[in-house]
Amino acid sequence: MTVVRGLVPLWRAVLVGALLCGVGLLPWLSRTDPALTVLKARSAERDPTPEALEAVRSQLGLDAGPLHLLGSWLGGLLRGDAGRSWISGAEVTPAVLQALGVSLLLMAGALAVAVVTAGAVCARTLWLGARRELAGRPSAGTGSALLSTLPDFLTASVLAAVVGVQLGWLPALGWYGPQWMVLPALSLGLPAGALLGRLLDDMLPGAFAEPWALAAAARGVRGRSIARQALRRCVPGLLPNFGLFVVGLTGGAVAVEQIFDIPGLGRLSLQAAIAQDLPVLQAGTLALVLLAAAAGGLARLVARLLVGPALRDGALSSLHRPTPSRPTALPLLYGGLLLAVIALGLARDPQKLDTTARLQPPSWARPFGTDALGRDVLARVGHGALDTLALAVAVSAAAFVLGVVLGLLPRLSGPLLDTVNAVPPVLAGLLVAGVAGSGASTPALAVAAVAWAPLSAHTSALLQQERATTHLTATRGLGAGRLYLLRHELLPAVLPPVIRHALLRLPGVALALAALGFLGLGAQPPSPEWGLLLAENQPYAERAPWAVLAPAAVLALLGAVAVTAGGGVRWPGRARRRRSVKSLAAQPPATPWSSPAAQQPATTAIKESR
């Protein structure tokens, strides 16, 4: 065990080195001429003559080869010198540190919004649990699920156009003071907080049903104190995902930084990746890797401080739900609406142009209006559903399997998770495209390469707590082997919440796939993928909001179907029969002097209901 622990830092160093080498070899992996890319980034009007390209190669030392450049950069990094930008010629370290400071400030504001949002999502469960009225109550409503599926760039576009431009309440562009931080923090914090709140709300019923909570209520402890301790009991299981959000809100906020013109690290990394400015890109990636390692280590430390003694002594209780989730008919309702929209769209032509009907509002002829080229938005939504949904489900399933498998091996997956989480989605897409080439499978590979990380973190956190439960210690004492414990004790406790987590992330996976396609790494316009529809119509959000709201609404419907289906699907007819059986079973028993004729209708009704 000591040898395995000693190999973890070495494994982390190998992963960081591999990532930095991959970034340093990006132009050669993508089979492009870095001199041409740098020349175009410096001056788009300059002709790429052989003399000009040779001058760039000589200035940057490209003739020496990528390995020499990478070694020189690493050698300078040991001396505290991250090099100079290939585009501007300025020192890299001050620019990266300044962008990192801006992103950290934005991340702090977004986390504050996320914490408040998560508290609002699970406030009802905490209130009912404190009053001992939680039995049989459903989890958080679909409103939080819809909020968690909103893409951050769509939220940013709506807030910038409505609150910033039309109403003029807050500034929408720039980064000059606290007022300029409000709208970007809301854009990032609202979806993240809704997702964290849903995960926390899923764990709270199990905490309120643990023996300590029941004993505290029996002894007359105030419900507010019990709710506070239940919250403390559940937070350690979410801390790894909280650490992932910290890094994601720092380097992954590319779209929000672009929309609000914020000079953050995500935007700087995107510009460096497009221009192939390797010193800036490598330094930005290294900063994100260090931030990911620090956030992951801090999350693990806080978790040990909260439940450390119980983990060591094996004195925890399982966070199983006290009762299974009640199946509802909501998935059928949302799924029916989604299928109806798709069916109506499939009956129309998605490529038909009508320049006389550009940006027309919704009408009976075109229920979703038209886009900037006069194409029917409903038709494009319907025809883009098959590819978007099929690929999103396949990638989500692969990410779930990979996340669970790696989550069962925390010493292997911990450093890998921190390293993968430090890679912005755009950079992941560029790296995958460099290795596999651009094509229809590139977005799927890129998203699957990073989508497993939050599921693996969730699995590892739940598994760590489940292994410290008293019933597992007792089962192990009776002679149960590792395979038996895994199949009959650990997986049944861990898989249900992770499955619900994976369903909650399904719409985000669909959007990430299409967003990478829009960047030129997959399907190209005029493909009617839903993410492409959002990105294409985003510039017209103020003039034609229906062109953006339509694909956003179907994504929200997809999120509602995925989230509500996690608790099970119930047909309405079965619900009526069950209520009939329960009402008849609740009737007082027949007395000895009641006649058989009086008992016959009830008996017949019960048999028929069954």
Side-chain angles (χ1 to χ4, degrees), residues 110 113-114 117-118 144 147-148 150 155 159 185-195:
V113 174
T117 306
S144 60
L147 183 60
S148 66
L150 287 178
T155 309
L159 290 178
L186 289 174
S187 304
L188 291 171
L190 287 176
L195 181 58

Side-chain angles (χ1 to χ4, degrees), residues 154 368 377 381 530-531 533-534 537 546-556:
L154 176 61
F368 285 178
V377 176
V381 167
W530 290 352
L533 299 184
L534 284 170
N537 296 313
W546 53 86
V548 177
L549 293 178
V554 293
L555 273 173

Side-chain angles (χ1 to χ4, degrees), residues 374-395:
R375 295 174 296 190
D376 191 343
V377 176
L378 176 59
R380 295 184 62 75
V381 167
H383 284 266
L386 184 60
D387 294 338
T388 303
L389 294 179
L391 198 57
V393 171
V395 171

Side-chain angles (χ1 to χ4, degrees), residues 224-462:
R224 185 178 303 176
S225 300
I226 298 176
R228 185 166 57 249
Q229 294 302 321
L231 188 63
R232 178 181 176 179
R233 172 69 178 88
C234 297
V235 163
L238 294 182
L239 282 175
N241 269 286
F242 195 80
L244 298 183
F245 276 112
V246 168
V247 183
L249 294 177
T250 305
V254 179
V256 174
E257 291 179 356
Q258 287 278 72
I259 292 171
F260 291 102
D261 195 22
I262 299 174
L265 187 59
R267 184 183 179 191
L268 181 67
S269 300
L270 174 63
Q271 294 173 350
I274 294 175
Q276 293 187 354
D277 191 352
L278 294 188
V280 176
L281 185 58
Q282 287 171 315
T285 303
L286 180 60
L288 289 175
V289 168
L290 295 177
L291 178 63
L298 183 61
R300 287 187 287 269
L301 177 61
V302 174
R304 289 190 176 276
L305 291 176
L306 290 176
V307 292
L311 289 175
R312 183 181 63 250
D313 300 335
L316 288 177
S317 298
S318 179
L319 275 178
H320 282 296
R321 282 177 174 264
T323 56
S325 300
R326 291 188 304 177
T328 66
L330 289 178
L332 300 177
L333 174 62
Y334 296 137
L337 290 176
L338 183 61
L339 291 177
V341 170
I342 294 173
L344 290 175
L346 289 175
R348 300 165 179 260
D349 186 0
Q351 307 297 346
K352 182 180 180 181
L353 301 179
D354 187 0
T355 55
T356 62
R358 297 176 62 251
L359 300 178
Q360 291 294 316
S363 61
W364 286 108
R366 299 183 178 93
F368 285 178
T370 61
D371 62 7
L373 298 178
R375 295 174 296 190
D376 191 343
V377 176
L378 176 59
R380 295 184 62 75
V381 167
H383 284 266
L386 184 60
D387 294 338
T388 303
L389 294 179
L391 198 57
V393 171
V395 171
S396 297
F400 168 74
V401 173
L402 187 60
V404 171
V405 171
L406 292 177
L408 297 176
L409 305 170
R411 298 192 186 281
L412 172 67
S413 63
L416 182 61
L417 188 148
D418 293 340
T419 306
V420 167
N421 186 57
V423 181
V426 175
L427 180 57
L430 292 174
L431 289 174
V432 172
V435 176
S438 297
S441 62
T442 299
L445 293 175
V447 174
V450 298
W452 62 269
L455 302 177
S456 177
H458 197 188
T459 301
S460 296
L462 295 178

Side-chain angles (χ1 to χ4, degrees), residues 28-296:
W28 291 270
L29 290 174
S30 57
R31 294 172 289 277
T32 59
D33 187 358
L36 177 61
T37 306
V38 171
L39 183 64
K40 288 296 184 182
R42 289 177 176 178
S43 177
E45 293 81 10
R46 188 174 180 181
D47 293 331
T49 61
E51 294 78 11
L53 294 176
E54 186 61 32
V56 172
R57 293 191 185 95
S58 177
Q59 179 186 3
L60 301 180
L62 296 177
D63 293 332
L67 296 180
H68 180 269
L69 288 174
L70 184 61
S72 299
W73 182 80
L74 291 175
L77 191 64
L78 295 177
R79 301 188 300 270
D81 182 14
R84 291 183 173 272
S85 170
W86 287 2
I87 307 302
S88 64
E91 292 186 3
V92 170
T93 303
V96 170
L97 290 179
Q98 183 179 1
L100 179 61
V102 171
S103 293
L104 288 177
L105 185 59
L106 176 60
M107 177 265 292
L111 284 181
V113 174
V115 169
V116 173
T117 306
V121 170
C122 62
R124 175 175 172 272
T125 301
L126 287 171
W127 170 257
L128 293 176
R131 296 165 59 91
R132 312 303 303 170
E133 299 176 359
L134 197 58
R137 300 283 181 170
S139 59
T142 55
S144 60
L146 299 181
L147 183 60
S148 66
T149 60
L150 287 178
D152 52 7
F153 77 85
L154 176 61
T155 309
S157 300
V158 173
L159 290 178
V162 177
V163 180
V165 178
Q166 293 184 354
L167 300 178
W169 290 348
L170 291 168
L173 291 176
W175 187 260
Y176 306 105
Q179 292 182 343
W180 280 263
M181 191 175 69
V182 176
L183 294 182
L186 289 174
S187 304
L188 291 171
L190 287 176
L195 181 58
L196 285 174
R198 292 282 307 188
L199 296 178
L200 183 60
D201 188 82
D202 189 59
M203 301 171 67
L204 282 172
F208 279 112
E210 287 185 339
W212 65 265
L214 301 176
R219 291 180 60 87
V221 178
R222 298 175 60 185
R224 185 178 303 176
S225 300
I226 298 176
R228 185 166 57 249
Q229 294 302 321
L231 188 63
R232 178 181 176 179
R233 172 69 178 88
C234 297
V235 163
L238 294 182
L239 282 175
N241 269 286
F242 195 80
L244 298 183
F245 276 112
V246 168
V247 183
L249 294 177
T250 305
V254 179
V256 174
E257 291 179 356
Q258 287 278 72
I259 292 171
F260 291 102
D261 195 22
I262 299 174
L265 187 59
R267 184 183 179 191
L268 181 67
S269 300
L270 174 63
Q271 294 173 350
I274 294 175
Q276 293 187 354
D277 191 352
L278 294 188
V280 176
L281 185 58
Q282 287 171 315
T285 303
L286 180 60
L288 289 175
V289 168
L290 295 177
L291 178 63

